[in-house]
Each structure stands twice: as structure tokens, then as C-alpha cells.
Amino acid sequence: MEDLLKLKNKNIVVMGVANKRSLAWGVAKSLYQAGANVIFTYRKERSYSKLQKLLEEHGLEARMIVQCDVNTDESIQEAFGKIGEEVECIHGVVHSIAFAHAEDLKGDFVETSRDGFAFAQDTSAYSLVAVANASRPLMKEGGSLIAMSYLGAERVVDGYNVMGVAKASLEASVKYLASDLGKHDIRVNAISAGAVRTLAAKGVPSFNEILHKIEETAPLRKNVTQEEVGDMTLAMMSHLSRGVTGEIVYVDSGYNIMG
Ligand code: 1JT
């Protein structure tokens, strides 16, 4: 299996582990099992301590852990600069970062403030462009860049509001980046994950309803797990997906195909 994936000793950056439920943590576990060297970035000190605890509990060893706040160019430059000093080359980046103001995730989208709109776009979509640009010089042997999206990017999902518009922007950015970076043998794709109860989903009043609706109507009649998202991300990182770029891959029990 490891031979097919060609991920043994490859350096992969995983951005966005906040706690054990994070999609990024599912990705890290899958990558680690496949023999990759995982480099983590975190923003808040709280996430750093959570990450350290998780690594210890699971007997996982990080290749490196660096601070990175994707809202500033300096922080991104500094983080990838540090990574470049430690490893000669990276082979992949997983961008599993999104944020919006809580008040913009309730009520009507029409009431979104200028600032709330810009903040969601900056954190959740532009950050991918900035990360792609900063990681490109380190992807000397080609690579794979993967972003996390959600169905709300293309359909109206009640309450997703400003995040849906930010994810639409993220998915379009994936395609433009794939076009730009293909010549460097860098692939860029997104995973559109089904609803998973993560920290991001906390405080979403309709979340239980969404999970129930998926159980009833998705072709596979179940919600997706962090491990399922992690394994597909692993596949998209690996040699097995070498012919795929600019794609939005659904890991959602098939929910998106239903009318
Ligand atoms: C963010 C949040 C990004 C929640 C997110 C997210 N991507 C998926 N979710 C879960 C979700 C959230 C809502 C929803 C359906 C799924 C919150 C913080 C900002 C970034 O609405 C029906 C609101």
C-alpha cells in the first residue's frame, strides 16, 4: 500500500488542527499512517497545547510544529520560511482553515456586514492563495495542495450564509490555482466534506437537523466521519490521484447528488 501511495518520508504541511474533532486531525492521522512526515501549523496557543496532547495520546510524532496566522502575509512568510530552513522540500499542503464572525452565521445573509464579508473571504479563501504562493518555492519536486470546502459553496444551506460565499470563492480559487501551478507539477484540489460535528459546527443551531436529514436521504444513509475525510485527502495527496487537479471531490455519503 505504501508503495502505491508514494508518501513515505514525504513532507506534508497540515494547517488547521484545533482539536481532536478537526478534519485536519483526521487528515494528519491518515497521512502519518501512510508514512508521511507531518508538519503542523497552528494559530492559537490553545490549539498548540491541544495538538501536543493529541500527538502524545496517539503516539504520533510531528516532523515540525510552527505558528501561522493566515490573516497576515508576514506570518505566512515566516512560517514557510521556518519550514524551508528545516526541510529541503515539501510535497503537499492541507489547508483546513475557515472563519467568520458568529453573527454572520445566523439570521439572513442579506444583513452581512462589509467587514464580516471581507473577514470571511480573507481568512477562508484568500488564505489559500497566499499559502499556495508561499509554499510553491518549497514544492521543488511538484506537490499537492488540498483545501476543505462544503456544499454551502454551491447551494443555499440555511445558516451557512457568508461562509457559503467564502467557500464558493475558495472553490474558484482552487481552479485558478490549479491552472497556474500545473506547470510546476503542483496539483490543487478541494474536498467538499459532508457535515461533521467539529469545533466549527459548534453553536450552529440547525446542525442536528442537518445531520439527521443526511442520515435519512444520503445514498449511504449515514454521516461521514473524520476518518473518511482523512482517507480521501490522503488519496488526493498520493500518487494515485496524480492525474487529478482543479477538482472538487465530495466526501459526503453521496448527499450532494440528491434532488
Ligand atoms: C466555519 C464554521 C466553516 C462552520 C463550518 C465551516 N464549514 C463547515 N462548517 C459547519 C457548518 C456550519 C454551518 C452550517 C452548516 C455546516 C463556523 C465558523 C466559521 C467557519 O449551516 C447550516 C453554519
Side-chain angles (χ1 to χ4, degrees):
M1 189 63 176
E2 276 184 2
D3 295 325
L4 282 170
L5 298 177
K6 293 194 197 298
L7 279 169
K8 198 150 175 58
N9 298 321
K10 296 279 166 69
N11 300 317
I12 313 291
V13 180
V14 175
M15 313 179 79
V17 179
N19 63 27
K20 66 172 182 193
R21 292 178 188 265
S22 298
L23 294 180
W25 178 244
V27 172
K29 285 188 290 184
S30 295
L31 287 169
Y32 187 81
Q33 276 165 22
N37 301 323
V38 184
I39 297 167
F40 292 90
T41 76
Y42 68 94
R43 183 176 59 129
K44 295 186 285 190
E45 285 307 318
R46 172 127 186 97
S47 304
Y48 179 62
S49 20
K50 286 249 163 105
L51 179 59
Q52 279 188 317
K53 205 176 118 218
L54 280 173
L55 291 167
E56 213 167 288
E57 274 172 14
H58 288 76
L60 229 129
E61 213 170 306
R63 176 67 179 80
M64 199 182 168
I65 307 176
V66 275
Q67 214 262 334
C68 184
D69 175 356
V70 295
N71 287 111
T72 78
D73 291 331
E74 296 73 44
S75 179
I76 295 172
Q77 285 308 325
E78 201 181 308
F80 281 87
K82 279 183 188 158
I83 293 169
E85 284 168 19
E86 182 75 21
V87 297
E88 191 169 334
C89 175
I90 63 172
H91 303 90
V93 178
V94 180
H95 175 287
S96 189
I97 294 173
F99 211 60
H101 298 313
E103 66 261 31
D104 293 322
L105 290 168
K106 45 175 109 84
D108 282 355
F109 173 67
V110 70
E111 288 164 2
T112 306
S113 68
R114 187 181 298 272
D115 173 64
F117 188 97
F119 179 68
Q121 288 283 335
D122 186 51
T123 313
S124 315
Y126 179 73
S127 61
L128 179 72
V129 182
V131 163
N133 203 28
S135 56
R136 204 196 64 73
L138 294 177
M139 289 191 174
K140 296 166 191 163
E141 299 173 356
S144 171
L145 181 54
I146 300 170
M148 291 297 163
S149 193
Y150 176 60
L151 186 63
E154 47 166 331
R155 307 242 197 102
V156 175
V157 177
D158 219 23
Y160 202 56
N161 297 3
V162 75
M163 270 313 303
V165 178
K167 291 297 190 187
S169 168
L170 178 78
E171 291 187 6
S173 300
V174 161
K175 296 174 194 180
Y176 278 90
L177 290 171
S179 168
D180 279 354
L181 300 178
K183 55 181 166 295
H184 304 292
D185 197 25
I186 298 170
R187 301 183 294 111
V188 189
N189 293 285
I191 303 287
S192 184
V196 180
R197 194 180 294 289
T198 63
L199 185 64
K202 223 176 154 183
V204 176
S206 55
F207 209 75
N208 271 337
E209 258 173 71
I210 293 173
L211 293 179
H212 278 125
K213 192 171 164 205
I214 293 165
E215 274 182 8
E216 279 162 17
T217 59
L220 297 178
R221 298 287 191 277
K222 62 181 183 66
N223 282 289
V224 289
T225 63
Q226 183 195 43
E227 285 75 21
E228 288 167 351
V229 174
D231 282 350
M232 191 64 205
T233 307
L234 171 66
M236 294 306 292
M237 191 54 79
S238 81
H239 186 70
L240 295 178
S241 62
R242 63 197 175 281
V244 184
T245 194
E247 208 54 55
I248 314 299
V249 181
Y250 291 85
V251 184
D252 68 343
S253 303
Y255 182 70
N256 77 95
I257 66 168
M258 302 307 289

